[in-house]
Amino acid sequence: MVQLVGSLRKELADSISTCKILVVGAGGIGCELLKNLVLTGFKNIEVIDLDTIDVSNLNRQFLFQKKHVGKSKAQVAKESALQFCPSANITAYHDSIMNPDYNVEFFRKFMLVMNALDNRAARNHVNRMCLAADIPLIESGTAGYLGQVTVIKKGMTECYECQPKPAQKTFPGCTIRNTPSEPIHCIVWAKYLFNQLFGEEDADQEVSPDTADPEAAFLNSLFWFLWGYFLITAARATASDKDGDIKRVSTKEWARSTGYDPVKLFNKLFKDDIMYLLTMDKLWKKRKAPTPLDWHQLENKCPKEGTPASGLKDQQVLDVWGYCQLFQHSVETLRSQLQEKGEGAELVWDKDDPPAMDFVTAAANLRMHIFSMSMKSRFDVKSMAGNIIPAIATTNAVIAGLIVLEGLKILSGELESCRTIFLNKCPNLRKKLLVPCVLDPPSANCYVCASKPEVTVKLNVHKTMVLTLQDKIVKERFGMVAPDVQIEDGKGTILISSEEGETEANNSKFLSDFGIRNGSRLQADDFLQDYTLLINVLHVEDLERDVEFEVVGEAPDKAPPPQTNQEEVNSITNGNKDSAQPSTSSKAPSEDDDIMIVDSDEEDGAASSSAAAATSGTKRKHSDAETGETSTKRPRTDQSAADNNDDDDIIALD
Amino acid sequence: MIEKEDPVISEEEAAQYDRQIRLWGLDAQKRLRGSRVLLAGLGGLGAEVAKNLILAGVKGLTLLDHEQVSEESCRAQFLVPVTAQGQNRAKASLERAQNLNPMVEVHADPDRIEDKPDDFFLQFDAVCLTGCSRDLMIRVDQLCSKHKIKVFCGDVYGYYGYMFCNLGQAHNYVEEKPKVVKPSGESNDGPEAKKAKVDPNETTMVKKTASFCTLKEALEVDWTSEKAKAGLKRTPVDYFLLQVLLKFRTDKGRDPDPQSFPEDSQLLRQIRDDVLESLSLNSDLLSDDFISYCFSEMSPVCAVVGGVLGQEVVKVRM
């Protein structure tokens, strides 16, 4: 006779009450998940989250109240859950899952790991830890109305990294610096400007006009071309860096020399530099030319006061003079912030820091106006600049419910019945809101879970520095956290050591300096992740402009391959945050870039660009984001009209 | 019926609702802000729906439940404190429900829904019924549709659950559709160029109207008719399971209880036979398997059904 404990068979109920599970993340999905787990009867739960509570979390992270703002998410989630289930044994960690304390041994304590994350770097890491520990992992993600859940089991299913994730959208440098045509280009430019003026200067984030723009070639006949080429090359060799900037002094140094005078900054950025762009007349043959702004002219002709607009401040779109003033005020405030911090200080851009957000809003809008684009409200700019993903409680509630249901299958020993489940916005043609798909077996070529994973990377050995290999390739692209890299040259020459300081001297050297050439093999290890990757070096002289390396066998970075809706959902809910920095971390370094489409629970804040994942390393990165309601262009995520295409890619079960 | 107020969103609300305003827009949030909803039944599913509606930011939510908190209730839902046994379930849920979002007016009503007069329901824009008897749901559905009040029903039985909605005979809504780019008149590029193309990136909002049937019509399908017989294959068996469980609830005044597993299983089997026979359907349409999976309210199932149901209510109030 069947014995029930509540809804569950007794054996399952017993197994649930004794097993230990790990929940990674205590945000939108995490809160719902924790609630479901304790109510279902799970008794031993560990939950980890590095973030603290923000007021914008309160529309869905229901274990938190206004009084908890600023506190640790994991800690408060635990306390709230204990309120309605005092007998549960919950351990909370206010920490990053990527901390080496959480090693394979730590993971092996658990029967099951459930991710409730919002960024790719952490997902990659947990994926590897679960593979190393051979523990089943339930992956999930949400974005707006969409969501998905899947199960990862070593040897049985695809791992999280078996399928290459869609390329992050990036814009060419000349688009950002010379010929912006969309608001996002101006917003990216404004964020770069923030860093150039107040933050960590980055060679990949130039804001001044780019004279090396291939479109701006001054001369077009062969004769003049050769003559001009000779002259220009000679001139550039003396004055500029490889980018073609005429740069003798850094932007920050120049700004400092003016005392961060807002009017002087304004006139340089929005008048002088624009006038310089106008001399590159080829750029404007088929495009509308930008119109420079003059501070004093605008000041004189601006309307006096005017009626203060009603409604929410952030939703208003100011006039040009309004943004001039906003620019001035924010520069002055940031200048003081910088002064307070002292010598050599740098600010980190954070969408939740009002003057930083004001600065980007103002600068981006002024640039939009110059390039004949309609200006945008602070609300809209914040969406794009901050990569904010809209989020609601119900989507997370459904996904968290599905996570537990998959978990029950696993604990009942029914792994074959586990599925990937997609949550649609509307029922599809078969009237399904939830679409289950059979899990795929591991990919034989997976560079993570294959038995001896290997990749081939195209790069120029004479121009690629060891630091680039470490940060952009091994860490960012291949998701290692603390890599060791050695050359397979018979001597086992160590190129990069995970021990701090040991190989620092190598950083600025080029790969060729170590005898690395075409066909060389490098062995990269991450001890914590128990992961070894063999990298075959394919030397090339030239790569695409702005590209530092390319992983062979993947689609180029420019545009993502066309996708069906299900794939879109996959990429949407997999993470817009590429780094694991928390939204509210004050120690988050430079900006998170490179998101394809928006994602899950928590929006980014600032994040380490070294952890941002890109298919090929591109020198110019920026932020792209879903713009929410006000955008007229939106990725088509509604299932209903497109279902004829779905059948090719998923096996929908009825 | 509804106060025609134009609620202004405050800065405080804008900060709290920021992430959902970015999804459905400021106007939708304002309309939500003017909605009053009745929620009957504060079991596992009811608590989920309550949470979802309160977080969304409706104007008012009335929690209606005459039941007392039992030991089972404490395990089933997260709004009732473990110390509240013996208290009225709606009242016991009030404090935590209110704390989810102080900006929503949450009321607790301990009365039996069967005792409520017709005009009680008329003060709401939407009514959501959980844990109610079949007859009551039919009655409330009929009453509300007459007055253009949106009706939602739902229940969870173990691993199973359902939701129903009646948005009226002429429900207007907008749907996002991919933009169709009409081909230009002259084209020498062959037949392909003349076809209207769908732009995958641009969407347009299309106005539509839908007509909903009543709960009575949905539950009282005549399966002997030709049309129904043809549709039988495409009808999920769960529909018949629902009929069985609603009958159980009517006959026993409660849902299957794990404490009475042997007797209730037996009764369920019997009711299954009776129901299928009365519908002139084959008795093996619904096998015995369901029996051991329909006891109590499973939390994750409440979360899924409650999430979908909650979102449907919010959608309609936007």
Side-chain angles (χ1 to χ4, degrees):
Chain A
M1 182 88 217
V2 170
Q3 264 198 298
L4 292 187
V5 175
S7 304
L8 306 173
R9 297 274 193 288
K10 186 167 189 319
E11 309 78 53
L12 182 57
D14 289 343
S15 157
I16 281 172
S17 63
T18 50
C19 76
K20 258 200 165 133
I21 56 178
L22 174 65
V23 175
V24 189
I29 295 179
C31 283
E32 292 283 340
L33 184 53
L34 209 51
K35 172 253 300 166
N36 292 342
L37 289 168
V38 299
L39 289 181
T40 303
F42 286 84
K43 288 269 173 271
N44 300 300
I45 305 168
E46 298 198 7
V47 59
I48 180 168
D49 196 312
L50 41 51
D51 214 347
T52 56
I53 299 162
D54 178 68
V55 65
S56 64
N57 300 150
L58 302 178
N59 79 320
R60 64 204 185 278
Q61 299 174 24
F62 78 99
L63 294 178
F64 312 141
Q65 293 172 37
K66 200 131 189 221
K67 63 186 184 188
H68 297 130
V69 170
K71 296 195 173 163
S72 150
K73 285 191 179 183
Q75 191 54 40
V76 177
K78 165 188 168 171
E79 283 159 16
S80 300
L82 287 175
Q83 292 285 303
F84 51 86
C85 194
S87 60
N89 175 19
I90 305 174
T91 308
Y93 301 93
H94 181 195
D95 205 348
S96 163
I97 192 62
M98 291 163 77
N99 181 326
D101 290 348
Y102 309 109
N103 54 14
V104 177
E105 214 183 293
F106 171 82
F107 275 81
R108 283 215 182 98
K109 289 193 309 182
F110 306 103
M111 277 228 61
L112 199 45
V113 175
M114 297 170 172
N115 271 349
L117 290 165
D118 63 356
N119 72 88
R120 206 170 282 184
R123 284 186 165 111
N124 288 344
H125 183 73
V126 176
N127 177 49
R128 294 166 191 202
M129 299 309 291
C130 289
L131 289 170
D134 198 3
I135 309 281
L137 168 63
I138 306 181
E139 229 333 328
S140 63
T142 61
Y145 298 111
L146 306 177
Q148 70 185 70
V149 179
T150 192
V151 173
I152 295 170
K153 174 80 172 74
K154 177 175 174 170
M156 196 189 114
T157 74
E158 278 187 345
C159 81
Y160 182 70
E161 298 173 86
C162 274
Q163 295 281 4
K165 297 288 180 293
Q168 308 284 298
K169 182 146 177 50
T170 60
F171 301 116
C174 42
T175 305
I176 301 296
R177 296 164 71 179
N178 292 359
T179 49
S181 55
E182 289 172 35
I184 186 66
H185 305 151
C186 301
I187 290 170
V188 171
W189 178 88
K191 288 175 73 181
Y192 286 177
L193 180 64
F194 179 94
N195 282 340
Q196 296 293 72
L197 291 176
F198 306 105
E200 190 184 332
E201 285 174 280
D202 188 339
D204 294 340
Q205 296 186 352
E206 282 302 329
V207 291
S208 50
D210 181 6
T211 54
D213 187 340
E215 262 202 79
F218 289 98
L219 310 150
N220 50 16
S221 84
L222 184 61
F223 171 76
W224 286 111
F225 175 76
L226 291 170
W227 178 239
Y229 182 79
F230 171 73
L231 282 179
I232 286 171
T233 313
R236 282 189 197 156
T238 52
S240 72
D241 65 16
K242 58 182 160 47
D243 256 333
D245 304 336
I246 310 301
K247 205 171 63 159
R248 256 157 261 120
V249 132
S250 81
T251 315
K252 193 184 261 188
E253 276 165 25
W254 175 81
R256 209 179 283 144
S257 72
T258 70
Y260 283 93
D261 180 329
V263 179
K264 290 208 172 115
L265 289 177
F266 181 97
N267 281 329
K268 175 193 185 318
L269 298 164
F270 304 118
K271 186 169 100 172
D272 299 340
D273 284 355
I274 304 301
M275 285 168 66
Y276 187 86
L277 282 177
L278 288 170
T279 67
M280 298 161 74
D281 56 321
K282 267 197 119 61
L283 294 178
W284 317 114
K285 283 253 163 14
K286 289 195 180 152
R287 290 188 185 91
K288 180 142 193 240
T291 46
L293 300 176
D294 180 284
W295 178 274
H296 296 290
Q297 264 179 35
L298 289 167
E299 184 172 30
N300 292 335
K301 73 170 195 208
C302 87
K304 283 302 147 214
E305 280 320 309
T307 47
S310 63
L312 297 168
K313 273 178 55 213
D314 272 17
Q315 302 270 351
Q316 288 159 30
V317 181
L318 308 178
D319 61 7
V320 183
W321 181 242
Y323 288 118
C324 292
Q325 291 179 299
L326 189 63
F327 182 79
Q328 177 177 38
H329 293 147
S330 56
V331 167
E332 286 163 358
T333 308
L334 293 166
R335 172 177 70 195
S336 324
Q337 273 187 17
L338 209 51
Q339 273 164 5
E340 266 171 40
K341 285 186 107 178
E343 193 59 46
E346 280 168 3
L347 300 181
V348 174
W349 191 78
D350 180 359
K351 71 182 183 311
D352 294 318
D353 174 39
M357 191 60 232
D358 284 340
F359 177 82
V360 166
T361 303
N365 270 314
L366 290 166
R367 193 165 171 86
M368 283 189 244
H369 186 72
I370 284 168
F371 285 88
S372 312
M373 293 179 235
S374 309
M375 297 188 288
K376 298 224 164 253
S377 67
R378 197 176 189 279
F379 183 82
D380 288 343
V381 174
K382 190 172 182 182
S383 262
M384 290 185 266
N387 304 330
I388 297 178
I389 307 127
I392 51 177
T394 53
T395 310
N396 288 330
V398 173
I399 292 305
L402 295 174
I403 293 171
V404 174
L405 291 172
E406 289 303 297
L408 294 182
K409 291 180 194 172
I410 296 172
L411 292 173
S412 303
E414 293 166 17
L415 269 155
E416 344 69 52
S417 64
C418 288
R419 299 284 182 263
T420 296
I421 303 163
F422 294 96
L423 169 65
N424 294 327
K425 181 178 176 182
C426 305
N428 65 12
L429 287 177
R430 293 187 195 171
K431 304 196 181 166
K432 306 288 183 190
L433 195 60
L434 296 173
V435 181
C437 305
V438 171
L439 297 170
D440 290 316
S443 164
N445 302 326
C446 177
Y447 68 85
V448 173
C449 74
S451 58
K452 286 199 188 309
E454 264 190 57
V455 282
T456 301
V457 178
K458 254 194 226 175
L459 48 75
N460 184 322
V461 297
H462 305 295
K463 296 196 178 157
T464 305
M465 290 192 294
V466 172
L467 187 63
T468 304
L469 174 69
Q470 177 187 271
D471 290 349
K472 301 261 170 80
I473 301 177
V474 175
K475 282 183 166 179
E476 210 175 279
R477 174 62 187 84
F478 293 123
M480 294 198 185
V481 175
D484 292 285
V485 181
Q486 57 179 294
I487 309 173
E488 282 202 347
D489 56 0
K491 296 175 274 173
T493 307
I494 296 176
L495 210 50
I496 297 166
S497 163
S498 54
E499 285 296 325
E500 198 160 329
E502 249 183 44
T503 50
E504 214 170 305
N506 293 347
N507 284 349
S508 48
K509 298 206 178 122
F510 296 104
L511 298 184
S512 50
D513 294 341
F514 294 86
I516 295 170
R517 55 202 167 98
N518 190 41
S520 291
R521 281 154 71 86
L522 306 172
Q523 179 182 311
D525 291 284
D526 186 311
F527 181 66
L528 180 65
Q529 296 173 348
D530 192 16
Y531 174 45
T532 298
L533 176 67
L534 214 51
I535 302 173
N536 294 294
V537 174
L538 182 58
H539 170 74
V540 290
E541 284 298 321
D542 292 301
L543 283 158
E544 276 179 69
R545 188 178 164 78
D546 290 349
V547 169
E548 281 175 309
F549 70 90
E550 218 178 282
V551 179
V552 170
E554 285 178 350
D557 179 54
K558 285 300 138 55
Q563 297 169 313
T564 62
N565 280 344
Q566 289 303 151
E567 281 176 40
E568 261 179 47
V569 171
N570 224 308
S571 65
I572 287 170
T573 56
N574 269 333
N576 82 321
K577 282 178 64 176
D578 291 305
S579 114
Q581 285 300 335
S583 322
T584 49
S585 164
S586 59
K587 60 177 165 64
S590 66
E591 175 53 53
D592 178 33
D593 328 332
D594 286 330
I595 28 115
M596 170 64 193
I597 310 180
V598 295
D599 163 78
S600 65
D601 317 334
E602 295 158 270
E603 68 282 2
D604 78 329
S608 159
S609 62
S610 65
T615 304
S616 53
T618 54
K619 288 203 284 193
R620 280 174 185 84
K621 297 187 192 154
H622 72 280
S623 316
D624 188 10
E626 174 123 32
T627 55
E629 281 286 286
T630 53
S631 159
T632 52
K633 283 195 178 202
R634 291 192 252 184
R636 182 159 63 88
T637 51
D638 179 11
Q639 276 286 87
S640 50
D643 282 286
N644 313 321
N645 303 325
D646 282 358
D647 294 353
D648 305 332
D649 292 346
I650 49 148
I651 307 158
L653 308 180
D654 267 317
Chain B
M1 181 178 73
I2 315 159
E3 302 124 54
K4 290 288 176 211
E5 43 182 302
D6 181 16
V8 168
I9 299 279
S10 65
E11 295 283 348
E12 187 195 352
E13 286 169 300
Q16 181 170 317
Y17 298 136
D18 185 82
R19 297 304 186 263
Q20 61 199 43
I21 289 173
R22 288 178 195 276
L23 184 63
W24 54 54
L26 202 49
D27 288 339
Q29 189 64 46
K30 283 185 191 167
R31 284 190 288 272
L32 258 180
R33 182 69 173 73
S35 302
R36 294 185 187 281
V37 182
L38 170 68
L39 173 64
L42 265 301
L45 178 59
E48 288 284 340
V49 175
K51 159 184 59 82
N52 293 334
L53 295 181
I54 292 170
L55 290 175
V58 294
K59 175 141 184 70
L61 181 66
T62 297
L63 309 174
L64 176 64
D65 197 336
H66 70 278
E67 299 274 7
Q68 278 193 349
V69 175
S70 66
E71 203 192 318
E72 170 87 22
S73 317
C74 292
R75 278 199 302 262
Q77 56 114 308
F78 53 91
L79 295 176
V80 160
V82 287
T83 50
Q85 281 187 49
Q87 291 176 29
N88 169 267
R89 208 156 62 166
K91 293 199 156 171
S93 306
L94 180 60
E95 187 180 345
R96 294 223 187 125
Q98 183 65 82
N99 286 340
L100 289 172
N101 185 355
M103 301 193 280
V104 175
E105 295 166 16
V106 188
H107 306 285
D109 187 329
D111 294 345
R112 306 193 106 244
I113 187 170
E114 287 84 355
D115 298 341
K116 290 296 192 189
D118 284 5
D119 58 8
F120 169 76
F121 298 93
L122 305 187
Q123 60 183 298
F124 301 103
D125 303 312
V127 162
C128 185
L129 308 174
T130 72
C132 296
S133 73
R134 180 192 177 113
D135 290 341
L136 178 98
M137 289 197 286
I138 288 177
R139 173 194 147 215
V140 173
D141 177 53
Q142 272 170 346
L143 167 66
C144 290
S145 357
K146 246 198 324 218
H147 291 92
K148 303 224 189 303
I149 299 170
K150 314 295 182 188
V151 176
F152 301 84
C153 307
D155 281 298
V156 168
Y157 308 96
Y159 284 73
Y160 297 95
Y162 80 94
M163 68 147 277
F164 168 85
C165 59
N166 182 353
L167 307 183
Q169 303 230 299
H171 174 69
N172 299 316
Y173 64 103
V174 285
E175 197 173 85
E176 197 181 339
K177 280 240 173 292
K179 219 174 199 162
V180 175
V181 174
K182 292 205 173 52
S184 56
E186 47 354 305
S187 172
N188 296 321
D189 300 340
E192 263 310 311
K194 295 212 169 61
K195 270 197 238 155
K197 289 197 185 61
V198 173
D199 181 342
N201 286 324
E202 291 212 24
T203 58
T204 182
M205 304 303 270
V206 174
K207 285 199 176 136
K208 302 186 106 172
T209 306
S211 179
F212 289 75
C213 70
T214 64
L215 181 61
K216 188 175 163 74
E217 286 166 337
L219 289 176
E220 294 177 9
V221 174
D222 174 10
W223 292 99
T224 60
S225 76
E226 282 311 310
K227 187 172 179 207
K229 270 199 217 156
L232 187 59
K233 245 187 255 165
R234 278 178 286 121
T235 305
V237 244
D238 301 349
Y239 171 83
F240 301 101
L241 174 55
L242 175 61
Q243 300 275 14
V244 172
L245 290 162
L246 286 176
K247 181 142 202 330
F248 185 104
R249 191 182 271 174
T250 301
D251 291 353
K252 291 291 268 185
R254 61 170 173 83
D255 284 341
D257 183 353
Q259 309 276 33
S260 325
F261 184 70
E263 310 81 50
D264 286 357
S265 306
Q266 176 73 330
L267 186 55
L268 281 167
R269 211 171 285 119
Q270 186 60 52
I271 294 177
R272 186 267 322 267
D273 292 340
D274 294 345
V275 163
L276 290 177
E277 195 188 315
S278 70
L279 296 175
S280 309
L281 290 169
N282 207 321
S283 65
D284 58 14
L285 181 63
L286 187 57
S287 78
D288 279 6
D289 294 343
F290 77 89
I291 291 169
S292 60
Y293 291 104
C294 67
F295 282 72
S296 200
E297 282 181 292
M298 259 248 279
S299 165
V301 179
C302 291
V304 173
V305 178
V308 175
L309 184 47
Q311 192 50 35
E312 289 302 303
V313 178
V314 166
K315 253 183 6 195
V316 146
R317 296 313 310 156
M318 293 199 300

